[in-house]
Amino acid sequence: MAGAGRQVAPPLLLSSAESKGVEVASIQQGIPPEVVSYLALHHIITLSTSSFTGMPHSNTVPFANDGQRLYFHELKDSTLMRNIRDNKRVSFTVDDYTHDWRKVRELQGVGGCEIATADDDGTSLMIMRNKFGKEWSPPGGDLYVLRPFEMHFVDFDYSQVSSAPAEHRQTFQLSSLPPPQLVPTSTELARRTFEPNAIIFRPGEGHGDYYVVTAGEVEIRAEGHGVDQTVVRVGPGGMFGDQAALRGQRGQLTAYAVKPTTLLTLDRDSVRDLMM
């Protein structure tokens, strides 16, 4: 893909992988020119993420890039946005097809992704307009920056008569762009404390959140035959919530702290990912 005169780091063949058609090029800084040229010819990237519960998710979005980063916009409160907030690692694919829909090449990669800073806005606007036209304007949502730290070119060879094409893989390691440091999930959860007899939620008040008891004890009560009845008591390590509120219906339960209690709160979308 590289044009004449482009300076591309020479690939280093690994003897253990030569039979599989794998080449590895060590790149010290930035996205290699061959990859930059390939990205310039494509407009859509597929992003794969996972929630903190491990639920996988993929999105296709328009993108643009410079020699260091890829830029894209995403709507607020989307699944992709929540996953990036919880897990900064993103894998991505940019595919190349023939007119008869045979895949001839794809670029695979892994990188760190985060919401852009104010300094990135001007840069992204310029490269977006260079790629999509001067009339392009930022869509709704937030700007995100994807910094690759490993990429793979996979070429598919259909010249051999077989049930599947042969694959030739070229891998680029970007040592100057290390993986981001991940934050433990527990620090991302809201922590709430309640005094004895304090109400955590009443019927109709719940938002579908679930709670993990880290200290203390919670009693769940429901009305039955005109009187309140204890459904269950939940201690440290236990999890509780109102199933009706989780489904978007009016909650039927009352929860209150039996003793000084500390809870971690999981929002409804994260809990639904876990239960699906």
Side-chain angles (χ1 to χ4, degrees):
M1 293 292 297
R6 286 190 183 274
Q7 298 298 314
V8 180
L12 177 63
L13 285 177
L14 298 180
S15 58
S16 61
E18 284 180 356
S19 62
K20 299 180 181 180
V22 179
E23 296 179 351
V24 176
S26 178
I27 307 298
Q28 297 301 314
Q29 186 174 5
I31 302 174
E34 181 178 1
V35 177
V36 172
S37 298
Y38 181 83
L39 293 174
L41 299 174
H42 296 80
H43 298 78
I44 300 296
I45 188 170
T46 300
L47 302 173
S48 297
T49 59
S50 65
S51 68
F52 81 89
T53 62
M55 181 65 64
H57 179 75
S58 63
N59 263 61
T60 55
V61 296
F63 78 97
N65 64 282
D66 55 19
Q68 298 283 341
R69 312 166 191 84
L70 287 78
Y71 300 91
F72 65 92
H73 287 81
E74 180 58 25
L75 297 176
K76 295 178 182 295
D77 299 323
S78 67
T79 300
L80 176 61
M81 187 216 70
R82 295 198 315 272
N83 289 353
I84 293 173
R85 179 194 64 197
D86 294 335
N87 183 352
K88 302 299 189 295
R89 293 176 185 265
V90 174
S91 61
F92 59 90
T93 306
V94 180
D95 297 315
D96 205 5
Y97 292 90
T98 64
H99 67 280
D100 58 356
W101 297 104
R102 289 186 304 174
K103 185 183 291 188
V104 293
R105 182 172 239 202
E106 70 180 19
L107 176 69
Q108 304 171 353
V110 180
C113 190
E114 59 190 0
I115 195 166
T117 64
D119 293 337
D120 295 314
D121 289 340
T123 301
S124 67
L125 181 62
M126 179 183 66
I127 66 172
M128 286 285 188
R129 287 182 173 174
N130 286 340
K131 187 167 191 174
F132 296 107
K134 295 181 179 180
E135 301 301 320
W136 184 91
S137 60
D142 293 322
L143 174 68
Y144 284 83
V145 179
L146 171 58
R147 295 177 172 85
F149 50 82
E150 182 174 301
M151 291 178 291
H152 312 270
F153 265 137
V154 182
D155 292 286
F156 299 90
D157 184 2
Y158 293 89
S159 61
Q160 302 178 14
V161 178
S162 63
S163 58
E167 296 184 11
H168 304 279
R169 181 180 295 266
Q170 187 178 19
T171 298
F172 301 93
Q173 299 281 351
L174 281 71
S175 58
S176 63
L177 298 176
Q181 297 296 319
L182 300 181
V183 179
T185 298
S186 60
T187 63
E188 301 286 343
L189 305 180
R191 186 181 298 270
R192 302 175 62 187
T193 58
F194 296 87
E195 296 299 321
N197 298 316
I199 300 296
I200 300 168
F201 57 76
R202 293 185 175 91
E205 290 185 351
H207 300 287
D209 294 340
Y210 262 46
Y211 304 88
V212 177
V213 181
T214 60
E217 187 177 30
V218 173
E219 183 169 292
I220 311 297
R221 301 183 67 85
E223 183 178 334
H225 303 289
V227 296
D228 284 343
Q229 298 179 346
T230 299
V231 177
V232 68
R233 285 198 172 194
V234 185
M239 182 175 178
F240 68 94
D242 193 319
Q243 289 279 359
L246 179 64
R247 294 191 295 266
Q249 303 170 357
R250 185 182 186 276
Q252 302 296 320
L253 302 176
T254 299
Y256 75 95
V258 178
K259 58 181 72 173
T261 299
T262 302
L263 306 176
L264 295 178
T265 305
L266 289 81
D267 64 82
R268 180 169 63 182
D269 290 331
S270 297
V271 176
R272 291 180 68 178
D273 282 350
L274 179 63
M275 298 181 67
M276 288 177 61

